[in-house]
Amino acid sequence: MAEGSRGGSLAFGQVVIGPPGSGKTTYCQAMRDFLGRLGRSVAVVNLDPANEALPWPCALDIGELVTLPDVMASLGLGPNGGLLYCMEYLAANADWLRDRLQGLRGHYVLFDCPGQVELYTHHEALKNVFAQLAKWNFRLAAVHLVDSHYCTDPGKFISVLCTSLSTMLHVELPHVNVLSKMDLIEQYGKLAFNLDYYTEVLDLSYLVDHLASDPFFKNFRRLNEKLVEVIEDYSLVSFVPLNVQDKQSMRQVVQAVDKANGYSFGDREHRSLEALMSAAVGADFHFSSTLAVQEKYVQSQDKAVEEEVMDL
């Protein structure tokens, strides 16, 4: 844990970000339990002033400093404006956060952040808070959660890619994009391509062609082509699939995050050669995790087809 200066000891953790409903709070709860079973001392910090009914005890709550209902009532702001004000207030009172974090010395910290997208794409307040945490010797990775149901709609998936890219460029932290709720993906409908197409963000021209078959999107083909060109030019966006109820899936995300924030290269845990090699190579676990989820998805689709045939 940092001592408030660059000379203090390092602290590792994650800032969990993403749009509303993407599963950030559920992720923090599952990750806290999973890392706890690995022997890490984990502390969860709630930075969402709108998150009033937490399903688990947190080590630090922004509600002690400012709450969204109070801001809305006193300043006459709506939910969006009120949330932006809360984050600006937090950034202006960084000393409060630093003092409270002193008590979490030696912990791996999960920061549960608000779900307002503009906080991560162009607003400066939360970005400034992350910069302060870095000055206090926190080594953080941004875990950006995206609901996997967007994969079933090509138009929405292109929008998600643009949002993820904008977030990566604005937040300026080591970044891991995660497709959450993979256990529910078969309920959203059939995917147009294999799952690895979406997780590895392969040749997006196929996605544009698929969109062109829709009468509505046919008129916007040129726009979609330009958006795809921007995404492919940066070549930064990829996803790790996640089912919080599956231990192997959680392990793959932990490996990706530990590599991103540098925890894998520390001496806090005894690591086998396999784990170190996985962190060094980087890409191997993406394929294995995607393959495992893909197999489950295909099996569920095959089962659904068999049931339809039996009904006939």
Side-chain angles (χ1 to χ4, degrees):
M1 178 59 200
E3 299 291 344
S5 67
R6 291 186 180 275
S9 59
L10 294 179
F12 293 89
Q14 308 173 23
V15 292
V16 184
I17 62 179
S22 57
K24 295 185 295 298
T25 299
T26 301
Y27 171 89
C28 287
Q29 182 178 9
M31 185 59 67
R32 182 196 64 176
D33 295 341
F34 186 82
L35 294 178
R37 288 193 293 270
L38 293 180
R40 301 189 197 181
S41 298
V42 182
V44 180
V45 174
N46 176 42
L47 291 185
D48 186 358
N51 201 353
E52 297 178 323
L54 293 171
W56 31 257
C58 58
L60 176 60
D61 188 356
I62 191 178
E64 301 172 13
L65 175 69
V66 62
T67 65
L68 181 59
D70 289 344
V71 168
M72 292 172 60
S74 60
L75 300 180
L77 297 173
N80 292 335
L83 191 53
L84 294 179
Y85 178 88
C86 288
M87 292 299 99
E88 292 171 353
Y89 190 79
L90 175 63
N93 291 272
D95 290 345
W96 173 88
L97 181 61
R98 182 188 58 195
D99 293 341
R100 298 303 189 279
L101 289 174
Q102 294 293 338
L104 302 181
R105 182 177 298 125
H107 287 74
Y108 185 98
V109 186
L110 301 173
F111 294 90
D112 187 2
C113 298
Q116 199 162 350
V117 175
E118 53 262 47
L119 287 171
Y120 315 115
T121 57
H122 58 273
H123 197 263
E124 295 292 327
L126 208 51
K127 175 183 176 180
N128 292 337
V129 172
F130 297 158
Q132 284 294 330
L133 290 170
K135 291 179 180 178
W136 302 333
N137 282 338
F138 275 91
R139 296 299 177 260
L140 302 172
V143 179
H144 184 221
L145 299 183
V146 174
D147 198 316
S148 60
H149 86 267
Y150 290 117
C151 295
T152 61
D153 188 320
K156 290 181 180 178
F157 187 65
I158 289 180
S159 176
V160 162
L161 292 175
C162 292
T163 302
S164 298
L165 177 60
S166 179
T167 299
M168 296 176 75
L169 296 176
H170 181 72
V171 171
E172 296 182 348
L173 283 176
H175 208 93
V176 177
N177 291 305
V178 174
L179 281 178
S180 62
K181 305 180 184 179
M182 289 303 302
D183 52 318
L184 303 177
I185 190 170
E186 65 269 12
Q187 300 179 15
Y188 299 137
K190 186 176 178 61
L191 298 179
F193 307 98
N194 288 337
L195 185 61
D196 60 346
Y197 178 86
Y198 300 93
T199 58
E200 300 302 326
V201 189
L202 303 174
D203 188 352
L204 295 178
S205 63
Y206 293 103
L207 204 62
V208 174
D209 293 337
H210 186 74
L211 275 171
S213 62
D214 187 309
F216 176 79
F217 286 106
K218 184 178 182 180
N219 298 325
F220 299 97
R221 182 184 180 98
R222 185 62 175 164
L223 173 61
N224 289 326
E225 287 176 346
K226 290 300 181 182
L227 291 174
V228 163
E229 285 180 12
V230 172
I231 297 167
E232 292 183 331
D233 284 347
Y234 278 95
S235 190
L236 291 175
V237 184
S238 63
F239 295 93
V240 181
L242 173 65
N243 172 9
V244 295
Q245 298 176 354
D246 181 66
K247 293 181 180 179
Q248 179 64 19
S249 178
M250 290 289 290
R251 175 176 172 270
Q252 308 300 343
V253 174
V254 168
Q255 284 183 314
V257 176
D258 283 354
K259 178 196 171 189
N261 64 15
Y263 188 92
S264 291
F265 307 104
D267 57 0
R268 297 195 175 195
E269 293 177 1
H270 173 73
R271 282 173 176 75
S272 64
L273 179 61
E274 177 185 359
L276 287 173
M277 289 302 294
S278 178
V281 175
D284 58 339
F285 60 81
H286 283 282
F287 176 76
S288 60
S289 62
T290 302
L291 183 61
V293 176
Q294 176 69 20
E295 288 176 351
K296 293 179 181 179
Y297 176 77
V298 171
Q299 289 172 1
S300 67
Q301 292 294 318
D302 292 342
K303 183 178 179 181
V305 172
E306 290 176 1
E307 291 176 352
E308 291 179 1
V309 173
M310 293 296 291
D311 292 340
L312 294 175

